[in-house]
Amino acid sequence: MNGDDGLETRVEALLAAPAHDAAALHVALAALYARYRDLAAQIERVTRIADRYQGAERERGRSYAVRYEKQLRQIEKIMRISDRYQSMLRDLNDRLHWLSLRDVVTGLPNRRHMLGRLDDAVADAKEGGAPLALAIADVDHFKRINDGFGHDTGDKALAALGHALCGLLPDGDAARWGGEEFLLLFPAHDLAAARRRLDALRAALPGAMAPLWPDGVPTLTLSCGLTAWRGDDDALSALLSRADEALYVAKRGGRDRLVVAD
Amino acid sequence: MLTLAIPATASTPAIAADWAAGLLTMSGDSYPENSFELFQPVIDWVDAYLGDSDRPLTLSLSLLYLNTSSIRAMMDILDLLQGAHDAGRRVRVEWLYDPDNERVAELAAEFREDYSFPFDILARA
C-alpha cells in the first residue's frame, strides 16, 4: 500500500474537471476507498497489539508492585528482628560486664573492680583534698574451716562475710581482694575516723554474718591492716603495701586485731 | 541421598542435615561474614529434599544470636517450608531455647508469626 502513487491527486483532478468522467471517477474512488479500508484495518491491528502490550505492562507493573511490597515488608521484619537481637546482645554484654567485676562466691566487687575504684578514689582525693583510708582484712584460720568442714562450707562462710560487709559498708566500698582477703575502702575518712569505723565493723560482724553463717562452724575473726592516704606523692601501690605490711603485723601479733600503719 | 555436616565455628552454627531422617538441625550463633556462602548449601539441601520425595521435614533450631543476613537466610529457608506446606507437605519447625534466656523464645515467635505450618518453641529441659 503506497500513498505516493498519485491516486489522491487523480481523484482531485477528476472531481475538479468541468465535465466529470463518471466511470473514471468511480474506479478512482473505489481504489481510494479500498486503500483507506486497508489503512483502517492496519491501524486497528496496531492498536490491538499496542493494547495487548499495555495490558502486559500493567500486569507486570502490578506484579512488581506486589513483589516490592512483599520485599519491603520482609526488610522491615528483618530489621525489627535484627534490632531485637542487637538489644539482646547489648543486655548480655552489660550482664557480662557486671559479672566480670563481681566475685561469684561473695557477691562483692572483685579485685579488678576495686582496683578501678581505688584509682578513682585516689584521683578524687588528689583533686578535692579529702582524706582517704583503706584496709586489707584477712579471715583468721580460714584454712581450718575449709579443711574441717569442706570447701562448700568455706564458700558459705565467705558468702556470709560478703553479705555482712555489704550491709555494714556503702555499696562498692568492700571487695574480695583474693582468697580470704578483703579490701575495705573508707572514702573521706582520715586514719582516726577509719579506725573507729573498722572497730565498729569488726564488732558488728558476728551479728551481721549470723543469718547466713553455716551451722556448727565457729564464727570467724578478722586481722586488719589499715592505712590512710598521705597526700599527692603517696601512690596507690604504696598505700596497698603499707596496708599489707600492717596486716602482716596483725597476723604475727596473734590475729583478730587491727594494726594501723603510721 | 545427601548429608550435610557443617561444624560450628565461633561465628557460625553447627548445621547437620539427615536426608534419611528428614531432619535439618542448626545450633549455636550465626554471624558469618558471608552468610550466602554458609546458607546456600542449606537452602539447596532443603530445595532438593522437598523436591525429591513427599516425606516430612523437621527443622530443629537451637539458635541464639543471628545477624541480619542470617535472619534473611533463615526466612528464605522458612519460605521454602511454607511453600511445601501450602502444597500439602508435612513440615514443621521446633525452636529449642534455654529457659534462662526467654528472649530467644520471643525472637523465635517473631519468626513464627508469618508462617502457618507447625512451629513449636520449646524450652529445653
Side-chain angles (χ1 to χ4, degrees):
Chain A
M1 193 145 332
N2 184 349
D4 293 334
D5 59 0
L7 182 56
E8 281 89 347
T9 317
R10 215 151 16 102
V11 169
E12 276 170 19
L14 285 167
L15 285 170
H20 292 305
D21 180 347
L25 187 60
H26 180 74
V27 170
L29 283 173
L32 198 61
Y33 172 71
R35 169 177 299 176
Y36 288 157
R37 199 188 48 208
D38 284 351
L39 274 174
Q42 201 172 31
I43 289 168
E44 195 189 319
R45 195 161 148 252
V46 168
T47 309
R48 213 170 42 241
I49 292 171
D51 282 353
R52 269 198 358 236
Y53 271 116
Q54 278 178 8
E57 280 304 316
R58 262 200 309 278
E59 275 308 308
R60 203 171 300 155
R62 263 202 291 276
S63 129
Y64 280 141
V66 169
R67 274 165 56 189
Y68 176 73
E69 269 302 313
K70 203 175 154 197
Q71 282 184 351
L72 206 61
R73 278 206 310 274
Q74 196 184 30
I75 288 168
E76 280 168 4
K77 180 162 183 160
I78 289 170
M79 279 165 52
R80 195 173 64 239
I81 295 180
S82 186
D83 284 351
R84 291 188 66 169
Y85 271 120
Q86 303 313 314
S87 104
M88 181 176 91
L89 270 194
R90 219 175 26 247
D91 290 350
L92 286 172
N93 273 336
D94 288 349
R95 174 98 186 118
L96 274 181
H97 178 70
W98 190 87
L99 286 172
S100 76
L101 299 174
R102 288 276 150 180
D103 170 55
V104 69
V105 174
T106 61
L108 290 173
N110 61 16
R111 186 181 184 114
R112 183 188 294 126
H113 187 252
M114 182 49 95
L115 279 170
R117 177 118 169 70
L118 288 171
D119 279 335
D120 291 345
V122 170
D124 285 351
K126 275 185 183 171
E127 200 178 299
L132 173 71
L134 65 81
I136 298 176
D138 187 88
V139 179
D140 294 326
H141 300 301
F142 183 67
K143 195 172 179 308
R144 288 182 191 166
I145 300 180
N146 268 342
D147 292 350
F149 300 90
H151 286 269
D152 259 7
T153 304
D155 282 353
K156 280 180 190 157
L158 288 175
L161 177 57
H163 172 79
L165 290 174
C166 233
L168 295 167
L169 286 173
D171 187 33
D173 286 355
R176 186 171 182 194
W177 197 239
E180 59 269 23
E181 268 188 3
F182 294 81
L183 195 134
L184 313 176
L185 186 64
F186 301 97
H189 285 59
D190 60 16
L191 208 50
R195 179 176 197 144
R196 282 195 299 276
R197 191 79 193 273
L198 194 46
D199 281 337
L201 183 145
R202 290 173 62 235
L205 212 49
M209 288 192 300
L212 294 179
W213 193 251
D215 290 340
V217 180
T219 195
L220 59 76
T221 57
L222 292 180
S223 297
C224 303
L226 175 69
T227 189
W229 185 62
R230 294 175 178 172
D232 284 355
D233 295 333
D234 197 10
L236 176 59
S237 56
L239 257 168
L240 291 170
S241 292
R242 288 201 304 277
D244 220 21
E245 282 160 20
L247 169 63
Y248 181 67
V249 175
K251 285 280 181 195
R252 264 201 327 199
R255 298 184 169 85
D256 189 17
R257 68 195 58 209
L258 166 62
V259 171
V260 177
D262 293 323
Chain B
M1 191 179 286
L2 297 164
T3 300
L4 208 59
I6 304 171
T9 69
S11 59
T12 60
I15 302 175
D18 185 334
W19 190 279
L23 177 67
L24 172 62
T25 58
M26 296 189 221
S27 53
D29 288 324
S30 184
Y31 49 98
E33 283 190 15
N34 187 346
S35 74
F36 178 81
E37 202 175 277
L38 175 71
F39 285 108
Q40 194 55 48
V42 183
I43 291 170
D44 291 344
W45 187 92
V46 173
D47 228 1
Y49 180 87
L50 292 172
D52 179 74
S53 70
D54 54 3
R55 291 183 303 116
L57 174 63
T58 297
L59 175 57
S60 179
L61 303 171
S62 303
L63 297 166
L64 294 172
Y65 172 71
L66 286 91
N67 68 357
T68 309
S69 57
S70 300
I71 295 167
R72 172 76 205 270
M74 192 53 58
M75 284 179 166
D76 286 345
I77 293 168
L78 295 173
D79 284 348
L80 286 176
L81 265 63
Q82 183 64 46
H85 172 73
D86 292 343
R89 190 71 173 269
R90 272 200 297 150
V91 295
R92 64 181 287 265
V93 169
E94 56 177 30
W95 196 311
L96 302 161
Y97 71 97
D98 185 335
D100 285 344
N101 195 354
E102 280 287 340
R103 295 176 80 172
V104 171
E106 290 167 18
L107 281 153
E110 285 264 11
F111 278 99
R112 179 170 64 182
E113 67 187 19
D114 280 350
Y115 302 104
S116 58
F117 53 78
F119 193 130
D120 300 316
I121 300 168
L122 309 165
R124 204 178 287 109

Short mmCIF file of all heavy atoms in Angstrom, two decimals, chain A residues 70-71 74 77-89 91-92, chain B residues 64-66 68 71-72 75-76 79 95 103-104 106-107 110-111 113-114:
data_model
loop_
_atom_site.label_atom_id
_atom_site.label_comp_id
_atom_site.label_asym_id
_atom_site.label_seq_id
_atom_site.Cartn_x
_atom_site.Cartn_y
_atom_site.Cartn_z
N LYS A 70 6.00 -6.95 49.17
CA LYS A 70 6.37 -8.13 49.96
C LYS A 70 7.81 -7.99 50.48
O LYS A 70 8.10 -8.25 51.64
CB LYS A 70 6.24 -9.38 49.09
CG LYS A 70 6.06 -10.64 49.88
CD LYS A 70 5.83 -11.82 48.98
CE LYS A 70 6.28 -13.07 49.71
NZ LYS A 70 6.48 -14.20 48.83
N GLN A 71 8.69 -7.54 49.56
CA GLN A 71 10.09 -7.40 49.97
C GLN A 71 10.26 -6.30 51.02
O GLN A 71 11.04 -6.44 51.95
CB GLN A 71 10.96 -7.11 48.75
CG GLN A 71 11.22 -8.39 47.97
CD GLN A 71 12.14 -8.18 46.81
OE1 GLN A 71 12.48 -7.06 46.47
NE2 GLN A 71 12.52 -9.27 46.18
N GLN A 74 9.26 -7.70 54.20
CA GLN A 74 10.28 -8.63 54.70
C GLN A 74 11.48 -7.85 55.28
O GLN A 74 11.99 -8.20 56.34
CB GLN A 74 10.74 -9.54 53.56
CG GLN A 74 11.50 -10.74 54.09
CD GLN A 74 12.04 -11.61 52.97
OE1 GLN A 74 12.34 -11.13 51.90
NE2 GLN A 74 12.16 -12.89 53.24
N LYS A 77 10.65 -6.50 58.59
CA LYS A 77 10.64 -7.55 59.61
C LYS A 77 12.07 -7.95 59.99
O LYS A 77 12.40 -8.13 61.16
CB LYS A 77 9.88 -8.76 59.08
CG LYS A 77 9.84 -9.88 60.06
CD LYS A 77 8.79 -10.88 59.76
CE LYS A 77 8.83 -11.90 60.88
NZ LYS A 77 7.66 -12.65 61.01
N ILE A 78 12.92 -8.08 58.97
CA ILE A 78 14.32 -8.43 59.23
C ILE A 78 14.94 -7.37 60.15
O ILE A 78 15.63 -7.68 61.12
CB ILE A 78 15.12 -8.54 57.92
CG1 ILE A 78 14.68 -9.79 57.15
CG2 ILE A 78 16.62 -8.59 58.18
CD1 ILE A 78 15.22 -9.87 55.74
N MET A 79 14.65 -6.10 59.85
CA MET A 79 15.21 -5.02 60.68
C MET A 79 14.70 -5.11 62.11
O MET A 79 15.44 -4.93 63.07
CB MET A 79 14.85 -3.67 60.08
CG MET A 79 15.79 -3.28 58.93
SD MET A 79 15.16 -1.93 57.94
CE MET A 79 14.80 -0.72 59.16
N ARG A 80 13.39 -5.42 62.22
CA ARG A 80 12.80 -5.49 63.58
C ARG A 80 13.47 -6.61 64.38
O ARG A 80 13.88 -6.41 65.53
CB ARG A 80 11.29 -5.71 63.46
CG ARG A 80 10.55 -5.44 64.74
CD ARG A 80 9.05 -5.49 64.56
NE ARG A 80 8.59 -6.80 64.18
CZ ARG A 80 7.92 -7.09 63.06
NH1 ARG A 80 7.68 -6.13 62.19
NH2 ARG A 80 7.52 -8.30 62.80
N ILE A 81 13.57 -7.78 63.75
CA ILE A 81 14.19 -8.91 64.47
C ILE A 81 15.66 -8.59 64.77
O ILE A 81 16.14 -8.84 65.88
CB ILE A 81 14.08 -10.21 63.63
CG1 ILE A 81 12.61 -10.60 63.48
CG2 ILE A 81 14.86 -11.33 64.28
CD1 ILE A 81 12.38 -11.86 62.68
N SER A 82 16.34 -8.02 63.79
CA SER A 82 17.75 -7.70 63.98
C SER A 82 17.94 -6.72 65.13
O SER A 82 18.84 -6.89 65.96
CB SER A 82 18.29 -7.12 62.67
OG SER A 82 19.66 -6.95 62.77
N ASP A 83 17.07 -5.73 65.19
CA ASP A 83 17.17 -4.74 66.28
C ASP A 83 16.98 -5.44 67.63
O ASP A 83 17.65 -5.10 68.61
CB ASP A 83 16.10 -3.66 66.12
CG ASP A 83 16.49 -2.68 65.02
OD1 ASP A 83 17.63 -2.77 64.53
OD2 ASP A 83 15.65 -1.85 64.64
N ARG A 84 16.07 -6.38 67.67
CA ARG A 84 15.84 -7.08 68.95
C ARG A 84 17.05 -7.92 69.34
O ARG A 84 17.41 -8.02 70.51
CB ARG A 84 14.58 -7.93 68.88
CG ARG A 84 13.33 -7.07 68.79
CD ARG A 84 12.09 -7.87 68.90
NE ARG A 84 11.95 -8.48 70.22
CZ ARG A 84 10.85 -9.07 70.64
NH1 ARG A 84 9.79 -9.10 69.86
NH2 ARG A 84 10.78 -9.61 71.84
N TYR A 85 17.68 -8.54 68.31
CA TYR A 85 18.90 -9.29 68.60
C TYR A 85 19.99 -8.35 69.14
O TYR A 85 20.72 -8.68 70.05
CB TYR A 85 19.41 -10.01 67.36
CG TYR A 85 18.84 -11.39 67.18
CD1 TYR A 85 18.10 -11.73 66.06
CD2 TYR A 85 19.03 -12.37 68.14
CE1 TYR A 85 17.57 -13.00 65.89
CE2 TYR A 85 18.50 -13.64 68.00
CZ TYR A 85 17.78 -13.95 66.87
OH TYR A 85 17.25 -15.19 66.72
N GLN A 86 20.09 -7.16 68.53
CA GLN A 86 21.12 -6.21 68.99
C GLN A 86 20.86 -5.84 70.45
O GLN A 86 21.79 -5.75 71.25
CB GLN A 86 21.11 -4.91 68.17
CG GLN A 86 21.30 -5.08 66.68
CD GLN A 86 22.44 -5.99 66.33
OE1 GLN A 86 23.51 -5.87 66.88
NE2 GLN A 86 22.19 -6.93 65.44
N SER A 87 19.59 -5.63 70.78
CA SER A 87 19.32 -5.21 72.16
C SER A 87 19.57 -6.37 73.12
O SER A 87 20.04 -6.18 74.23
CB SER A 87 17.91 -4.61 72.27
OG SER A 87 17.03 -5.49 72.86
N MET A 88 19.30 -7.62 72.65
CA MET A 88 19.62 -8.78 73.48
C MET A 88 21.13 -8.85 73.72
O MET A 88 21.58 -9.07 74.84
CB MET A 88 19.14 -10.05 72.78
CG MET A 88 19.37 -11.33 73.55
SD MET A 88 18.67 -12.75 72.68
CE MET A 88 20.06 -13.24 71.71
N LEU A 89 21.90 -8.64 72.66
CA LEU A 89 23.36 -8.67 72.79
C LEU A 89 23.86 -7.60 73.76
O LEU A 89 24.74 -7.84 74.58
CB LEU A 89 24.01 -8.40 71.44
CG LEU A 89 24.32 -9.57 70.54
CD1 LEU A 89 25.25 -9.11 69.42
CD2 LEU A 89 24.98 -10.69 71.29
N ASP A 91 22.25 -6.23 76.23
CA ASP A 91 21.94 -6.61 77.61
C ASP A 91 22.88 -7.70 78.11
O ASP A 91 23.31 -7.68 79.27
CB ASP A 91 20.49 -7.08 77.72
CG ASP A 91 19.53 -5.92 77.52
OD1 ASP A 91 20.00 -4.77 77.50
OD2 ASP A 91 18.33 -6.16 77.39
N LEU A 92 23.17 -8.67 77.22
CA LEU A 92 24.08 -9.74 77.62
C LEU A 92 25.47 -9.17 77.90
O LEU A 92 26.15 -9.60 78.84
CB LEU A 92 24.16 -10.82 76.54
CG LEU A 92 22.94 -11.74 76.42
CD1 LEU A 92 23.06 -12.64 75.20
CD2 LEU A 92 22.78 -12.60 77.68
N LEU B 64 20.94 -19.05 68.93
CA LEU B 64 20.92 -18.00 69.96
C LEU B 64 20.90 -16.62 69.32
O LEU B 64 19.94 -15.89 69.41
CB LEU B 64 22.16 -18.12 70.84
CG LEU B 64 22.22 -19.39 71.69
CD1 LEU B 64 23.57 -19.49 72.37
CD2 LEU B 64 21.12 -19.35 72.73
N TYR B 65 21.99 -16.30 68.62
CA TYR B 65 22.08 -14.97 68.01
C TYR B 65 22.21 -15.11 66.50
O TYR B 65 22.98 -15.94 66.02
CB TYR B 65 23.30 -14.22 68.56
CG TYR B 65 23.55 -12.93 67.83
CD1 TYR B 65 22.68 -11.86 68.00
CD2 TYR B 65 24.59 -12.80 66.93
CE1 TYR B 65 22.87 -10.67 67.29
CE2 TYR B 65 24.79 -11.63 66.24
CZ TYR B 65 23.92 -10.57 66.42
OH TYR B 65 24.11 -9.42 65.72
N LEU B 66 21.46 -14.32 65.78
CA LEU B 66 21.58 -14.29 64.31
C LEU B 66 21.82 -12.86 63.87
O LEU B 66 21.11 -11.95 64.31
CB LEU B 66 20.29 -14.77 63.65
CG LEU B 66 19.98 -16.27 63.70
CD1 LEU B 66 19.15 -16.58 64.92
CD2 LEU B 66 19.23 -16.69 62.45
N THR B 68 21.95 -9.90 60.78
CA THR B 68 20.88 -9.54 59.86
C THR B 68 20.83 -10.46 58.63
O THR B 68 19.75 -10.92 58.24
CB THR B 68 21.05 -8.08 59.42
OG1 THR B 68 21.20 -7.29 60.60
CG2 THR B 68 19.86 -7.58 58.66
N ILE B 71 19.36 -13.77 59.48
CA ILE B 71 17.90 -13.70 59.64
C ILE B 71 17.25 -13.83 58.26
O ILE B 71 16.29 -14.57 58.06
CB ILE B 71 17.49 -12.37 60.29
CG1 ILE B 71 18.03 -12.30 61.72
CG2 ILE B 71 15.97 -12.21 60.30
CD1 ILE B 71 17.95 -10.90 62.33
N ARG B 72 17.84 -13.12 57.29
CA ARG B 72 17.31 -13.15 55.92
C ARG B 72 17.36 -14.58 55.36
O ARG B 72 16.39 -15.08 54.80
CB ARG B 72 18.14 -12.19 55.07
CG ARG B 72 17.87 -12.22 53.60
CD ARG B 72 16.57 -11.49 53.32
NE ARG B 72 15.94 -11.97 52.08
CZ ARG B 72 16.16 -11.46 50.88
NH1 ARG B 72 16.99 -10.45 50.77
NH2 ARG B 72 15.57 -11.94 49.83
N MET B 75 14.78 -16.77 56.88
CA MET B 75 13.45 -16.52 56.30
C MET B 75 13.32 -17.20 54.94
O MET B 75 12.26 -17.72 54.60
CB MET B 75 13.22 -15.02 56.15
CG MET B 75 12.88 -14.36 57.47
SD MET B 75 12.67 -12.61 57.20
CE MET B 75 11.89 -12.16 58.72
N ASP B 76 14.41 -17.21 54.17
CA ASP B 76 14.36 -17.89 52.88
C ASP B 76 14.07 -19.38 53.07
O ASP B 76 13.30 -19.98 52.34
CB ASP B 76 15.70 -17.71 52.12
CG ASP B 76 15.84 -16.29 51.57
OD1 ASP B 76 14.82 -15.57 51.52
OD2 ASP B 76 16.96 -15.90 51.22
N ASP B 79 10.53 -19.79 54.14
CA ASP B 79 9.65 -19.59 52.97
C ASP B 79 9.53 -20.88 52.16
O ASP B 79 8.45 -21.22 51.66
CB ASP B 79 10.17 -18.46 52.08
CG ASP B 79 9.90 -17.08 52.68
OD1 ASP B 79 9.11 -17.00 53.66
OD2 ASP B 79 10.47 -16.09 52.19
N TRP B 95 11.87 -24.89 67.66
CA TRP B 95 12.93 -23.95 68.06
C TRP B 95 13.14 -24.16 69.56
O TRP B 95 12.28 -23.82 70.36
CB TRP B 95 12.52 -22.53 67.73
CG TRP B 95 13.69 -21.57 67.76
CD1 TRP B 95 14.62 -21.46 68.75
CD2 TRP B 95 14.05 -20.63 66.75
NE1 TRP B 95 15.54 -20.50 68.41
CE2 TRP B 95 15.22 -19.97 67.19
CE3 TRP B 95 13.51 -20.27 65.52
CZ2 TRP B 95 15.83 -18.97 66.45
CZ3 TRP B 95 14.12 -19.27 64.79
CH2 TRP B 95 15.28 -18.63 65.25
N ARG B 103 14.29 -14.39 75.94
CA ARG B 103 14.25 -13.51 74.77
C ARG B 103 14.47 -14.27 73.48
O ARG B 103 13.99 -13.87 72.43
CB ARG B 103 15.29 -12.40 74.93
CG ARG B 103 14.93 -11.51 76.09
CD ARG B 103 15.96 -10.48 76.34
NE ARG B 103 15.84 -9.37 75.41
CZ ARG B 103 16.55 -8.26 75.53
NH1 ARG B 103 17.41 -8.15 76.49
NH2 ARG B 103 16.40 -7.29 74.68
N VAL B 104 15.17 -15.40 73.58
CA VAL B 104 15.33 -16.24 72.38
C VAL B 104 13.96 -16.76 71.95
O VAL B 104 13.64 -16.80 70.76
CB VAL B 104 16.31 -17.40 72.66
CG1 VAL B 104 16.31 -18.39 71.51
CG2 VAL B 104 17.72 -16.86 72.88
N GLU B 106 11.12 -15.24 72.44
CA GLU B 106 10.39 -14.10 71.85
C GLU B 106 10.83 -13.89 70.40
O GLU B 106 10.01 -13.61 69.52
CB GLU B 106 10.66 -12.83 72.65
CG GLU B 106 10.01 -12.83 74.03
CD GLU B 106 10.55 -11.70 74.90
OE1 GLU B 106 11.13 -10.75 74.34
OE2 GLU B 106 10.40 -11.78 76.12
N LEU B 107 12.13 -14.05 70.17
CA LEU B 107 12.63 -13.85 68.80
C LEU B 107 12.15 -14.96 67.88
O LEU B 107 11.80 -14.70 66.73
CB LEU B 107 14.15 -13.76 68.83
CG LEU B 107 14.61 -12.37 69.29
CD1 LEU B 107 15.96 -12.40 69.94
CD2 LEU B 107 14.62 -11.42 68.10
N GLU B 110 8.82 -14.16 66.76
CA GLU B 110 8.82 -13.16 65.66
C GLU B 110 8.91 -13.86 64.32
O GLU B 110 8.24 -13.50 63.36
CB GLU B 110 10.02 -12.21 65.81
CG GLU B 110 9.86 -11.20 66.89
CD GLU B 110 9.34 -9.87 66.34
OE1 GLU B 110 8.90 -9.82 65.19
OE2 GLU B 110 9.36 -8.89 67.11
N PHE B 111 9.77 -14.88 64.26
CA PHE B 111 9.91 -15.63 63.01
C PHE B 111 8.59 -16.36 62.70
O PHE B 111 8.14 -16.39 61.57
CB PHE B 111 11.03 -16.67 63.12
CG PHE B 111 12.41 -16.11 62.90
CD1 PHE B 111 13.23 -15.78 63.96
CD2 PHE B 111 12.88 -15.91 61.61
CE1 PHE B 111 14.49 -15.26 63.76
CE2 PHE B 111 14.15 -15.39 61.40
CZ PHE B 111 14.96 -15.07 62.47
N GLU B 113 5.51 -15.80 63.27
CA GLU B 113 4.21 -15.17 63.01
C GLU B 113 3.80 -15.10 61.54
O GLU B 113 2.63 -14.96 61.24
CB GLU B 113 4.15 -13.77 63.66
CG GLU B 113 5.08 -12.77 63.06
CD GLU B 113 5.10 -11.45 63.85
OE1 GLU B 113 4.69 -11.45 65.04
OE2 GLU B 113 5.52 -10.46 63.29
N ASP B 114 4.76 -15.26 60.62
CA ASP B 114 4.42 -15.19 59.20
C ASP B 114 4.08 -16.55 58.58
O ASP B 114 3.77 -16.62 57.41
CB ASP B 114 5.59 -14.60 58.41
CG ASP B 114 5.61 -13.09 58.51
OD1 ASP B 114 4.62 -12.54 59.02
OD2 ASP B 114 6.61 -12.47 58.11
#
